[in-house]
Amino acid sequence: MAEAHQAVGFEFTVRPDGVDIKLSREVIKNIYLSGVTAWKKRAIKFKNGVLAGVYPASPSSWLIVVILMMSSLYTHIDPSLGMINAIKDTLPFKDYMSVQTRAVLGAILFATGLWLFLIVLLRYTLKVLLSYHGWIFESHGRMTTSTKVWLNLVKMFSGRRPLLYSFQASLPRLPVPSVEDTIRRYLESVRPLLDDNQYNQMEILANEFKDTQATQLQRFLILKSWWSNNYVSDWWEEYIYLRSRSPIMVNSNFYVMDLLYVTPTHRQAARAGNVVHAMLQYRRKLERGEHAPLRALGTVPMCSTQMERMFNTTRLPGIETDIVQHLNDRKHLVIYHKGRFFQLWLYTGGRHLLPSELEMQFQRILNDTSKPQPGELKLAALTAGNRVPWAQARHQYFSAGVNKQSLDVVESAAFFLALDEEPQGYDPSKDRSLDSYAKSLLHGKCYDRWFDKSFNLISYPNGKMGINTEHSWADAPIIGHMWEYVLATDCFHLGYTEEGHCKGDVNKGLPFPTRLKWDLPTECQKVIESSCLLAKQIANDVDFYGYLFNDFGKGLIKKCRTSPDAFIQMALQLAQFRDQKVFCLTYESSMTRMFRDGRTETVRSCTSEAVAFVRAMEDSTQKLSLFKKAAEKHQNMYRLAMTGAGIDRHLFCLYIMSKYYRVNSPFLKQVLSEPWKLSTSQTPQQQLNLVDINKFPKYVGAGGGFGPVADDGYGVSYIIVGENLITFHISCKHSCPDTDSYRFGHHIQRAMLDIQALFSTENGTAVVQNGKKHM
């Protein structure tokens, strides 16, 4: 520990004539540098806080307004319309100031008030502009004159060089749709899934709810939308994530993979050193708010709230509900290797450890031959089991003494690093290597990940990396943003020596990483073993198939003048029907981050138009026209979801409101109990554009995935990589005899090719892509 290291350099001896104190010069230097760094960090955070607080204005604009008001004192023009004189006459202690001093002070106070008013006016104007979403509904590449004018106005009011949180106060609130619109869209979405009798019953329930209970619930929901920044997000986090008492491993946590084709070094400690250092660089910019905000079209800002809790965050178990604990400025990392927990300090002398220093520290851990303490090997399995036993064990066995101290170290760490012993990664020479890689990231051995941490960084002995992310604090694009930065920094800025080590000198005087101490009684070890057994049952039940579709990609799909996402979603509907012979309720995640504190909304992809297209693929000649109608319908639904006119979040909040007011609604109960047998999500890539994948086509990620949502359904994550590759991550459960991830993957491949063939037939030619010919 750093404290222990400093204590070595501090000595004192008690003598008859007094106390002789010796303090190491190195320790004094480290203390001084740490203090300087801390104050420098506070100053930068304060400066950036001021810049973001007055955005889109700037502090220098205040001086300009003051100078203009001061100049009016020497002219016969009073732009304040007498307000400066009124302020001057009402100043306290005016009898002790000269007339000139009072006039100057009055002008400064008026200028400051005017400046603050202009900032509020600019923000409100920008908020009104950002509330316009007509541009989303325009055809790709065809921008109307009104949208061009709007886009220029947004650019004009957005100021220059915004920081990460500059736009937060200008983002509009998520609107509450009308009950009539939501119910109409809901009934439309379930029509293809129900027979006439079932649909009529659902229509009766919906209309009864609309005519009786909906008005009161909607009124309170609108009131909540006025009071809170976002009427959905707090309830979504609490009731969907934190109140769930089921294991979060597989059921909630998701994973992100490393680069697909490139491994910068095969030295485990070196790769971990560079990646951790890059994460520390990212965290420093994040704490200071120095990252550029993500903007659609390069102009429309996205909400950055979710990024605040990326580091030093842990989900703490409770009996009825969990809580998310976020701490500031913690300077250590917790590492797991061969059943041992280590604490590593990430700073020395007021700076981050260098990649070479981190490599040395990680290698020390890899070389450590000590054995786990009793119960330590599978301790993290507590985070993989049911939440209530974990909460009870935490209170009973970890609320005092050495266990509490060690648990505090784990839960306050920047993140959790697992140094695994078995190599993983995509290897085209090995059958289903992507499957093994995904399962390792998703659940590992069930006891070598701390699933409660905001994220686990996982390092493999062949140099590959990956991330397991707890879902309650943020969604996939947030961790993906950080991961893109880290991979680009690792490969193109930090680099490695010819031998594969991190660049830079090594400070061998750094203290060794510290083993965490545990005193786990037999009763606690039984709870750990019980959680581990349950977690292993869940993990062993996961049937996973990873598939690289490289017959064609986004480039060819765009030539077909259709949305790549709609193309893939229609292929998934076709694959689902061929696999199960029935249609099912389909979930696609859409972001709502154009609104303050926005997270996600559901796109119900199984529409009547999609069903008509799928049926036509089996026995009709009007396949292409039906596909285009289905794709256009899907795109429109996706746009509605992005702009706050979705279905499911509104119904979810009405349901929560009904529980608060003890209103029994058969309609809402039915809606919230419907299973999502096909859950899908597109993993975003190239959010930062730090790597030109046209120039470096091998430096692409494989995306990430998640476990199945329904016991008898599929989870499908896909990522559109560049122009010619789409990766699919497919999961289901072995325990369901009707699902098979490998079979479903082949149905997806066939569906993609069949849809592409429709366009080939329309053009009267075969399409050749990547050396393959498809008719």
Side-chain angles (χ1 to χ4, degrees):
M1 295 174 62
E3 295 92 339
H5 180 56
Q6 292 175 6
V8 171
F10 175 75
E11 299 178 0
F12 70 93
T13 305
V14 179
R15 297 180 176 179
D17 56 345
V19 179
D20 182 22
I21 298 177
K22 295 180 180 179
L23 195 61
S24 164
R25 183 180 300 177
E26 180 185 354
V27 173
I28 294 176
K29 179 182 177 181
N30 283 338
I31 292 173
Y32 168 75
L33 291 175
S34 296
V36 170
T37 301
W39 282 105
K40 182 179 178 181
K41 180 179 177 180
R42 291 190 187 100
I44 293 173
K45 288 179 69 174
F46 176 78
K47 182 197 74 172
N48 290 338
V50 171
L51 291 175
V54 303
Y55 199 84
S58 63
S60 59
S61 62
W62 172 80
L63 187 60
I64 294 173
V65 177
V66 168
I67 291 173
L68 289 175
M69 291 302 106
M70 293 282 289
S71 64
S72 68
L73 298 177
Y74 305 98
T75 64
H76 297 292
I77 302 173
D78 183 9
S80 71
L81 303 178
M83 292 186 68
I84 293 178
N85 287 330
I87 294 172
K88 179 180 66 175
D89 293 339
T90 56
L91 286 172
F93 309 110
K94 63 180 181 180
D95 295 336
Y96 300 95
M97 293 183 286
S98 65
V99 175
Q100 185 69 18
T101 301
R102 281 188 285 140
V104 170
L105 191 56
I108 292 174
L109 291 174
F110 174 77
T112 301
L114 177 63
W115 180 67
L116 293 173
F117 170 77
L118 292 174
I119 289 174
V120 172
L121 182 63
L122 285 172
R123 284 183 174 177
Y124 183 77
T125 303
L126 185 57
K127 182 178 288 190
V128 170
L129 289 170
L130 294 177
S131 298
Y132 168 76
H133 299 119
W135 60 275
I136 295 179
F137 295 90
E138 294 181 355
S139 300
H140 183 71
R142 299 178 182 177
M143 190 176 293
T144 62
T145 302
S146 59
T147 297
K148 290 178 181 177
V149 172
W150 166 82
L151 203 57
N152 287 323
L153 287 173
V154 171
K155 290 179 181 178
M156 183 176 69
F157 282 96
S158 291
R160 298 174 58 194
R161 291 181 294 181
L163 297 171
L164 181 62
Y165 302 115
S166 293
F167 288 110
Q168 291 300 104
S170 300
L171 292 174
R173 296 173 187 265
L174 183 69
V176 181
S178 69
V179 173
E180 291 77 9
D181 286 345
T182 297
I183 290 180
R184 174 178 54 79
R185 294 190 186 114
Y186 170 78
L187 291 174
E188 182 183 345
S189 73
V190 298
R191 185 65 188 93
L193 304 174
L194 305 175
D195 60 33
D196 290 343
N197 289 333
Q198 292 172 328
Y199 180 75
N200 290 336
Q201 291 176 5
M202 180 58 72
E203 195 173 32
I204 292 171
L205 288 177
N207 289 330
E208 181 183 349
F209 169 72
K210 180 177 65 175
D211 296 337
T212 57
Q213 303 159 327
T215 302
Q216 178 191 13
L217 300 178
Q218 177 80 347
R219 188 183 303 120
F220 286 119
L221 197 58
I222 291 173
L223 182 62
K224 181 179 187 289
S225 74
W226 293 345
W227 177 255
S228 59
N229 289 331
N230 189 295
Y231 79 93
V232 175
S233 294
D234 56 341
W235 283 352
W236 186 253
E237 178 177 312
E238 180 180 358
Y239 292 103
I240 296 300
Y241 295 115
L242 299 181
R243 281 188 179 264
S244 172
R245 303 294 80 203
S246 301
I248 62 175
M249 184 199 77
V250 175
N251 296 325
S252 179
N253 286 30
F254 59 91
Y255 66 86
V256 184
M257 288 183 170
D258 198 355
L259 295 172
L260 190 59
Y261 304 113
V262 176
T263 306
T265 179
H266 292 285
R267 296 184 183 273
Q268 183 176 16
R271 184 77 197 286
N274 261 9
V275 167
V276 169
H277 183 77
M279 285 183 169
L280 295 178
Q281 289 183 327
Y282 184 91
R283 184 176 76 158
R284 179 170 59 192
K285 295 182 70 175
L286 180 63
E287 289 176 339
R288 296 174 177 180
E290 293 177 342
H291 289 291
L294 192 65
R295 293 195 273 183
L297 301 179
T299 304
V300 183
M302 303 287 115
C303 180
S304 302
T305 298
Q306 293 181 59
M307 300 176 74
E308 295 174 353
R309 298 186 291 179
M310 186 176 297
F311 295 92
N312 304 105
T313 297
T314 305
R315 175 172 174 163
L316 305 182
I319 301 299
E320 295 183 356
T321 183
D322 296 351
I323 62 171
V324 177
Q325 171 186 271
H326 174 65
L327 304 171
N328 293 317
D329 201 27
R330 293 303 191 270
K331 300 182 178 181
H332 69 276
L333 178 66
V334 169
I335 301 125
Y336 180 92
H337 178 245
K338 289 187 176 180
R340 294 89 44 83
F341 290 80
F342 296 84
Q343 180 184 23
L344 173 65
W345 290 94
L346 299 170
Y347 291 76
T348 182
R351 62 166 176 82
H352 292 145
L353 293 184
L354 301 176
S356 56
E357 295 170 333
L358 288 166
E359 178 187 359
M360 179 190 69
Q361 297 289 59
F362 296 145
Q363 193 61 52
R364 285 173 169 176
I365 293 174
L366 292 171
N367 295 339
D368 190 303
T369 58
S370 60
K371 301 297 181 182
Q373 300 159 77
E376 184 181 17
L377 174 66
K378 298 182 180 180
L379 173 61
L382 288 170
T383 67
N386 285 320
R387 305 305 291 174
V388 172
W390 172 209
Q392 293 171 337
R394 188 175 184 274
H395 175 74
Q396 187 171 357
Y397 304 112
F398 297 89
S399 57
V402 66
N403 288 344
K404 183 180 188 305
Q405 294 174 10
S406 294
L407 184 63
D408 286 344
V409 170
V410 174
E411 293 179 341
S412 63
F415 51 93
F416 192 88
L417 170 63
L419 296 175
D420 275 20
E421 303 166 64
E422 299 177 5
Q424 296 288 351
Y426 172 65
D427 186 347
S429 65
K430 294 183 179 179
D431 187 37
R432 302 190 70 168
S433 60
L434 208 58
D435 307 1
S436 173
Y437 184 21
K439 283 177 68 66
S440 174
L441 292 174
L442 185 62
H443 53 69
K445 296 178 181 178
C446 302
Y447 56 78
D448 52 356
R449 318 275 185 257
W450 199 272
F451 293 101
D452 286 354
K453 289 299 291 182
S454 55
F455 68 90
N456 288 245
L457 177 65
I458 301 154
S459 169
Y460 297 105
N462 59 347
K464 281 295 183 183
M465 305 288 289
I467 288 179
N468 179 287
T469 307
E470 199 278 311
H471 208 333
S472 66
W473 65 274
D475 303 306
I478 305 304
I479 202 73
H481 186 281
M482 181 270 288
W483 194 230
E484 286 184 26
Y485 175 94
V486 167
L487 293 180
T489 303
D490 171 30
C491 297
F492 293 96
H493 297 282
L494 298 177
Y496 300 88
T497 65
E498 292 182 359
E499 294 79 19
H501 293 286
C502 295
K503 295 179 179 178
D505 298 328
V506 177
N507 177 10
K508 294 184 179 180
L510 291 173
F512 277 67
T514 308
R515 277 287 302 274
L516 297 185
K517 303 298 182 183
W518 307 96
D519 182 14
L520 305 173
T522 304
E523 294 77 11
C524 181
Q525 294 183 39
K526 289 180 180 179
V527 178
I528 294 172
E529 191 62 35
S530 176
S531 292
C532 189
L533 288 174
L534 173 62
K536 282 187 175 295
Q537 290 176 3
I538 295 171
N540 292 336
D541 198 22
V542 175
D543 177 20
F544 185 88
Y545 178 57
Y547 174 60
L548 304 182
F549 182 88
N550 55 11
D551 294 273
F552 58 86
K554 178 176 64 176
L556 184 62
I557 295 174
K558 285 188 173 181
K559 289 180 182 178
C560 298
R561 296 183 180 179
T562 189
S563 157
D565 182 70
F567 187 102
I568 296 171
Q569 284 292 325
M570 293 306 105
L572 291 176
Q573 289 300 313
L574 182 56
Q576 162 70 23
F577 184 75
R578 287 174 174 174
D579 186 80
Q580 298 291 310
K581 305 300 185 267
V582 294
F583 296 97
C584 70
L585 195 61
T586 305
Y587 182 111
E588 182 189 5
S589 180
S590 165
M591 69 90 183
T592 56
R593 288 174 59 205
M594 291 188 295
F595 301 97
R596 182 77 178 267
D597 292 352
R599 290 196 61 161
T600 60
E601 176 59 275
T602 304
V603 181
R604 293 176 168 236
S605 302
C606 187
T607 61
S608 296
E609 290 81 358
V611 168
F613 157 69
V614 170
R615 293 194 183 281
M617 286 297 288
E618 306 300 316
D619 57 7
S620 175
T621 58
Q622 299 181 356
K623 302 172 184 178
L624 186 60
S625 61
L626 289 173
F627 169 81
K628 290 180 177 179
K629 288 180 181 178
E632 181 59 36
K633 175 67 174 182
H634 178 82
Q635 267 191 288
N636 187 61
M637 292 182 64
Y638 199 97
R639 292 160 176 163
L640 288 170
M642 287 179 62
T643 54
I647 300 169
D648 290 276
R649 299 300 179 268
H650 185 204
L651 293 177
F652 162 76
C653 288
L654 288 172
Y655 177 76
I656 299 300
M657 194 67 75
S658 73
K659 289 298 181 181
Y660 275 120
Y661 287 96
R662 294 181 172 85
V663 174
N664 182 33
S665 170
F667 169 69
L668 292 177
K669 191 178 297 184
Q670 175 70 23
V671 171
L672 271 295
S673 64
E674 294 170 344
W676 300 97
K677 290 191 177 183
L678 181 57
S679 181
T680 72
S681 178
Q682 180 182 171
T683 306
Q685 193 186 15
Q686 293 297 97
Q687 297 183 81
L688 299 178
N689 292 314
L690 294 176
V691 179
D692 185 351
I693 59 176
N694 293 320
K695 187 176 180 181
F696 302 100
K698 296 294 184 181
Y699 287 84
V700 293
F706 49 88
V709 173
D711 292 338
D712 55 349
Y714 291 104
V716 181
S717 173
Y718 54 93
I719 175 171
I720 301 172
V721 186
E723 298 294 309
N724 302 309
L725 176 65
I726 303 169
T727 65
F728 288 94
H729 303 250
I730 307 162
S731 64
C732 63
K733 292 189 176 183
H734 287 296
S735 56
C736 177
D738 299 325
T739 57
D740 184 291
S741 64
Y742 183 79
R743 184 184 71 209
F744 193 69
H746 282 270
H747 280 309
I748 293 174
Q749 179 189 23
R750 189 69 255 165
M752 294 282 287
L753 294 174
D754 286 348
I755 295 175
Q756 181 269 326
L758 298 179
F759 292 91
S760 302
T761 303
E762 179 191 41
N763 297 331
T765 59
V767 175
V768 178
Q769 186 73 11
N770 295 341
K772 302 176 183 179
K773 185 176 180 180
H774 304 289
M775 297 302 296

